[in-house]
Amino acid sequence: MAFRPAETKLRIFLIGDSTMANKLPFDAPETGWGMVFPQFVNEAVEVQNHAVNGRSTKSFRTLGHWKKVYDQLRPGDWVFIQFGHNDQKQDDTTRYAAPQTDYRKNLVRYIEEIRAKGANPLLLTPVMRRKFDESGQFVDQHGEYPSVVKAVAKQYRIPLIDLHARSREVIVQHGIDGSKYLFMNFPGKIYSKFPDAKEDNTHFSPYGAALMAGLVAEDLRTISPLSNFLKQSPYPGKYAYELPNVMAPAFRKDTFNIVRYGAVADGVTLNTQAINQAIEQCSRAGGGTVLVPKGFWLTGPIVLKSNVNLHVQEGALVQFSRNTADYPLVQTNWEGVDAIRAQSPISGTDLENIAITGKGVFDGAGEVWRPVKKSKLTASQWTTLVKAGGVLDAEKNTWYPNERALKGATAKRPGVVAEGYTLQNTADIKEFLRPNMVVLTRCKRVLLEEATFQNSPAWCLHPLLCEHITLRNLTVRNPWYAQNGDGVDVESCRNGLIEGCTLDVGDDGICIKSGRDEEGRKRGVPTENFIVRNNTVFHAHGGFVIGSEMSGGVRNLFVSNCNFLGTDVGLRFKTARGRGGVVEKIYVSDINMTNIPGEAILFDMYYAAKDPVPQAGESNELPTIAAQPLNEGTPQFRDFHIRNVVCQGAETGILIRGLPEMAIKNIEIENATLVANAGLVCVEADNIRLKNVTLLTKENTVMKVQNSKNITLDGITYKPGADVLLKISGDRSKAIRLVNTDGTKAKKEVEFGEKVLSNVLTKK
């Protein structure tokens, strides 16, 4: 192993063929995995990609490409070598290299020359092409070439990355249809270079290239010293290559203006037919953009179709009808169960390649659907609302838009199919069955970008059972008093990105779900592999939320660089007995909060469908509940990693409330400064670690721990003058470790019983 000078960067040279090579912008969307690879190494690494389309071990040298690399090499450099696709071309004498003879000799020659320069070779087997036979079995087209690479690596004791085997796993995992999108398979008229349809199962799409580069980075973890140069992500304990990759939709250049189909922007004409006809025609023609130009467009429900980008131009207002008769009843899903509801203003089912874009506004006319609580309005607002019409409940505390809505409020699980509700027997409670504004069900490759969605009847944006979703730079608004007025509810979805969005809503801001109770467990589809970053949430019940309908599970979520300003709770993780499901592998970093009326960080297994901040006369005290036997309805929260959190003003800094039969487990909170009335309240928890956490509280009892074990407090800072730092109670409270930031134990270690400890950690 040669050593490089300390003042220079580690240099990695990539030599290979088109699957690795850089591409020009005109070549889009073709992407070599070597174009993505630099994103997965840190700033101490310089990556030079010298791979060239169409080259083999032979032609890369004869055409002079190798000399450009060789002349630069110095001790300590690395050269990644991947050839094979073009060495197979027997009818081309300028490229062909037989596997057991010339191909082997060429690899050996590269290795010897690299080592002669004091540099380090690394071999990669050729990446797979995509091919399945008639029975659906994957077909390997590389013959002996991969085995030769392995044999040479073993003989010369060279690091090996078996991208041949790893890429096969990824292709097979995506399936016959899904794996098409790893490669250059798309219809014509989307990309300038490809006016006709393309079917290329050798060269990668941006998504496929990112996956392949991630495999290379993953295998570098076992190769020293390269493992030291992998880029860390913003999330605790995770590398950049481990983050989810999301496919983006792409559309033909054709544009379908709704005006050509009879739409009139006068605010009076109902344009439902014209808009839907434009969408239908666009989809039938192979896709493109349906344009809603600036103006006031009144409409009923809009139904999306595959390959359509609904583009709402800046200055356009799409106002959904305030006549509830325009929204027929349909069978759909509500709060994680099958239910009858009014048709959503925007919906799409079993679609691919869809988008809603543009800087226009969608208004859901939510005021004709929503009930309103008297306690959430001023006296003047309440009087005005009641005078405008509608009906009140028996207690005169809640306003409903009409008698049908009030009747639904008193029914048992209204509209739920399991309770016997059908399309035929729900008309008399229709207005209670208010729709979510945008519902996308079982859709793939979805983009919502830049638009404003406001005034929804219920939840605003609801992707359900979707894959590869991007929500970017959206504005989502609902009145702060809007019951069930959530901003974004992602349910049982896989692979997504939510970034740059601004939300100001009446219920949870960005919420992750996966079905409710037995129906959710039977569906068994978790929400997984999502990045949530650079978002701002103003009023909401929670800034970032998981639950309470999480019965199908939630995992692999990455949340960073979000601001919560005035949300009732900041990070809100909620569930209840009967839900079941496992929420795990949640990574949160760099969160700012201010003016939080409830908890900055909340883990709660006692969710009871109440507002997180009690109204006047209500209580939020922990109920006394005896332990019950474990069963499939027992929920689990575990493996949360939270760091770099600042909160200026909250009722409670951290509240953790598990069940007697199921503790909340494996929670790490590091580098947090929380200014709150109360500090830490921890009940029924196991393996909770707080490191470098500052709790500046009004209460002198900074931390309360009950019926918990394996609690580690490392480098805790609290307000000078707090006489009681930590109060521990309950028979199961044990093994509370107090340590200093250097890893040494603090002054006391608590084992059992009712204890009050004073001044056990050094005050700053």
Side-chain angles (χ1 to χ4, degrees):
M1 180 69 67
F3 293 91
R4 61 190 177 88
E7 68 275 8
T8 62
K9 286 189 173 185
L10 176 76
R11 297 196 303 176
I12 297 176
F13 295 86
L14 308 181
I15 66 171
D17 55 34
S18 58
T19 62
M20 178 194 275
N22 289 334
K23 315 296 177 184
L24 297 172
F26 181 67
D27 296 323
E30 184 179 347
T31 309
W33 68 257
M35 298 171 65
V36 184
F37 176 72
Q39 300 175 20
F40 300 146
V41 293
N42 62 34
E43 63 279 357
V45 179
E46 175 189 338
V47 178
Q48 291 190 23
N49 189 354
H50 290 265
V52 182
N53 286 18
R55 300 301 182 257
S56 67
T57 56
K58 180 179 181 180
S59 64
F60 192 83
R61 181 184 294 276
T62 59
L63 293 175
H65 306 301
W66 172 239
K67 187 177 187 303
K68 294 178 181 178
V69 176
Y70 180 78
D71 288 347
Q72 294 187 64
L73 288 180
R74 64 191 182 205
D77 288 341
W78 284 80
V79 182
F80 290 12
I81 308 166
Q82 183 189 50
F83 293 100
H85 281 171
N86 301 298
D87 293 81
Q88 293 179 287
K89 299 185 181 298
Q90 298 185 32
D91 57 349
D92 186 344
T93 58
T94 65
R95 293 189 286 181
Y96 177 63
Q100 297 295 346
T101 55
D102 289 344
Y103 183 66
R104 177 187 292 269
K105 292 177 182 177
N106 293 339
L107 291 176
V108 170
R109 185 177 176 186
Y110 284 121
I111 291 167
E112 291 175 344
E113 292 177 355
I114 292 167
R115 284 180 165 174
K117 283 272 197 165
N120 307 289
L122 182 149
L123 290 177
L124 300 97
T125 52
V127 68
M128 281 288 189
R129 298 183 178 96
R130 174 185 172 273
K131 185 176 181 180
F132 293 87
D133 63 21
E134 294 181 354
S135 62
Q137 297 300 308
F138 184 82
V139 178
D140 183 350
Q141 302 174 73
H142 284 308
E144 297 180 273
Y145 289 89
S147 62
V148 170
V149 177
K150 295 177 187 178
V152 171
K154 183 177 181 181
Q155 178 182 353
Y156 286 84
R157 297 183 179 180
I158 291 170
L160 171 75
I161 294 178
D162 192 359
L163 200 53
H164 181 255
R166 299 296 307 281
S167 60
R168 173 177 179 154
E169 293 172 1
V170 171
I171 294 169
V172 171
Q173 182 184 39
H174 278 73
I176 296 175
D177 292 329
S179 61
K180 292 179 182 178
Y181 300 107
L182 277 67
F183 297 88
M184 295 272 288
N185 295 288
F186 46 81
K189 295 186 177 182
I190 295 178
Y191 304 102
S192 300
K193 186 177 178 179
F194 306 101
D196 300 321
K198 186 74 172 176
E199 185 175 349
D200 177 349
N201 292 301
T202 297
H203 300 101
F204 296 118
S205 67
Y207 174 71
L211 292 182
M212 299 306 146
L215 296 177
V216 174
E218 182 177 9
D219 281 5
L220 291 183
R221 291 184 69 170
T222 63
I223 300 173
S224 179
L226 295 175
S227 59
N228 298 324
F229 296 93
L230 289 172
K231 185 177 181 180
Q232 296 283 344
S233 79
Y235 309 101
K238 286 292 180 179
Y239 290 101
Y241 76 83
E242 295 180 280
L243 302 184
N245 292 296
V246 183
M247 281 190 279
F251 303 94
R252 293 175 55 154
K253 304 300 181 184
D254 298 340
T255 298
F256 296 74
N257 192 320
I258 63 170
V259 175
R260 295 178 56 191
Y261 296 86
V264 179
D266 59 5
V268 177
T269 302
L270 193 65
N271 294 295
T272 313
Q273 182 176 351
I275 295 174
N276 283 303
Q277 187 178 3
I279 292 172
E280 180 70 30
Q281 291 298 319
C282 178
S283 182
R284 285 185 180 180
T289 296
V290 170
L291 176 64
V292 181
K294 64 180 181 179
F296 191 118
W297 308 95
L298 180 65
T299 183
I302 294 173
V303 180
L304 300 177
K305 299 291 182 181
S306 291
N307 302 312
V308 173
N309 172 17
L310 180 62
H311 184 81
V312 183
Q313 199 172 60
E314 186 173 10
L317 168 61
V318 178
Q319 174 64 62
F320 288 99
S321 170
R322 292 181 171 85
N323 182 1
T324 60
D326 291 331
Y327 303 85
L329 292 168
V330 296
Q331 183 167 336
T332 181
N333 192 279
W334 168 248
E335 292 190 330
V337 298
D338 291 336
I340 307 299
R341 310 291 293 185
Q343 183 176 349
S344 291
I346 302 176
S347 63
T349 303
D350 295 319
L351 306 180
E352 293 192 22
N353 201 51
I354 60 173
I356 303 174
T357 63
K359 296 184 178 180
V361 176
F362 295 91
D363 187 291
E367 66 276 6
V368 300
W369 298 92
R370 287 190 301 263
V372 180
K373 292 181 179 180
K374 182 178 182 179
S375 59
K376 293 193 173 184
L377 299 181
T378 66
S380 176
Q381 289 171 331
W382 178 254
T383 299
T384 300
L385 177 65
V386 173
K387 285 183 177 179
V391 296
L392 300 178
D393 64 359
E395 292 78 21
K396 310 296 184 185
N397 289 327
T398 304
W399 174 91
Y400 292 88
N402 59 28
E403 292 286 353
R404 291 190 296 271
L406 175 60
K407 182 177 180 180
T410 60
K412 179 184 178 183
R413 300 180 74 196
V416 175
V417 172
E419 296 294 337
Y421 285 96
T422 67
L423 293 173
Q424 290 71 41
N425 65 7
T426 48
D428 60 344
I429 59 171
K430 179 178 180 178
E431 278 72 17
F432 186 81
L433 306 176
R434 51 201 166 106
N436 296 335
M437 187 171 176
V438 180
V439 176
L440 303 174
T441 306
R442 295 186 301 275
C443 296
K444 298 178 181 179
R445 290 175 290 131
V446 177
L447 171 66
L448 274 62
E449 186 170 36
E450 293 193 323
T452 294
F453 298 90
Q454 69 174 35
N455 195 20
S456 173
W459 298 352
C460 204
L461 307 179
H462 182 207
L464 170 64
L465 292 165
C466 293
E467 297 182 23
H468 295 283
I469 311 162
T470 300
L471 309 181
R472 180 182 292 123
N473 298 336
L474 301 175
T475 299
V476 182
R477 293 195 296 244
N478 275 333
W480 76 268
Y481 55 80
Q483 292 179 229
N484 307 113
D486 299 34
V488 175
D489 291 275
V490 176
E491 181 175 353
S492 293
C493 295
R494 291 173 174 155
N495 303 324
L497 172 64
I498 304 173
E499 67 174 350
C501 297
T502 300
L503 302 98
D504 191 343
V505 296
D507 208 305
D508 289 327
I510 300 172
C511 189
I512 308 297
K513 301 177 180 289
S514 63
R516 180 169 181 160
D517 299 345
E518 184 178 358
E519 287 192 34
R521 297 193 297 272
K522 184 177 179 180
R523 179 201 294 164
V525 178
T527 291
E528 58 185 341
N529 306 330
F530 267 76
I531 297 173
V532 180
R533 65 191 180 200
N534 304 329
N535 301 290
T536 298
V537 185
F538 292 96
H539 190 278
H541 283 184
F544 177 77
V545 183
I546 300 176
S548 72
E549 303 91 2
M550 36 61 69
S551 303
V554 177
R555 61 190 179 216
N556 296 334
L557 303 186
F558 303 89
V559 184
S560 66
N561 294 308
C562 292
N563 296 321
F564 306 142
L565 295 85
T567 61
D568 290 350
V569 177
L571 297 168
R572 187 186 191 196
F573 311 119
K574 55 181 177 173
T575 186
R577 275 184 180 147
R579 294 284 193 263
V582 178
V583 178
E584 62 182 348
K585 299 178 181 177
I586 311 299
Y587 302 87
V588 181
S589 180
D590 299 287
I591 305 297
N592 301 315
M593 314 181 202
T594 188
N595 297 325
I596 306 297
E599 297 82 12
I601 303 172
L602 171 66
F603 297 85
D604 191 6
M605 288 186 161
Y606 291 86
Y607 178 70
K610 293 182 178 180
D611 288 352
V613 177
Q615 299 292 312
E618 296 180 346
S619 173
N620 198 30
E621 292 298 319
L622 176 66
T624 301
I625 300 180
Q628 292 186 2
L630 298 176
N631 56 44
E632 63 181 8
T634 305
Q636 298 182 59
F637 281 163
R638 65 192 186 200
D639 296 335
F640 284 70
H641 308 271
I642 302 172
R643 73 179 181 189
N644 301 342
V645 176
V646 176
C647 178
Q648 176 61 256
E651 177 60 33
T652 304
I654 304 166
L655 174 58
I656 302 172
R657 301 197 302 194
L659 296 170
E661 68 272 17
M662 179 56 67
I664 293 173
K665 300 178 180 178
N666 305 336
I667 309 297
E668 295 180 353
I669 301 175
E670 183 176 358
N671 299 339
T673 299
L674 308 176
V675 180
N677 292 335
L680 167 71
V681 178
C682 181
V683 183
E684 304 290 358
D686 184 2
N687 193 24
I688 310 299
R689 183 185 182 193
L690 272 60
K691 183 177 181 180
N692 297 335
V693 173
T694 297
L695 298 171
L696 302 178
T697 65
K698 290 184 178 180
E699 295 183 1
N700 282 341
T701 304
V702 180
M703 292 177 280
K704 300 177 183 178
V705 178
Q706 178 180 346
N707 287 350
S708 299
K709 61 183 180 179
N710 300 319
I711 312 298
T712 300
L713 307 175
D714 183 352
I716 304 299
T717 303
Y718 60 99
K719 183 178 67 175
D723 296 327
V724 180
L725 171 67
L726 174 62
K727 183 174 183 180
I728 302 172
S729 62
D731 293 339
R732 289 187 294 280
S733 292
K734 59 184 179 180
I736 311 297
R737 296 184 64 248
L738 306 172
V739 300
N740 295 319
T741 53
D742 61 1
T744 60
K745 289 184 179 180
K747 294 181 181 178
K748 295 193 178 184
E749 183 170 320
V750 182
E751 292 296 336
F752 289 101
E754 297 280 348
K755 292 182 181 292
V756 176
L757 305 184
S758 299
N759 303 326
V760 294
L761 298 181
T762 302
K763 298 177 183 177
K764 293 186 179 179

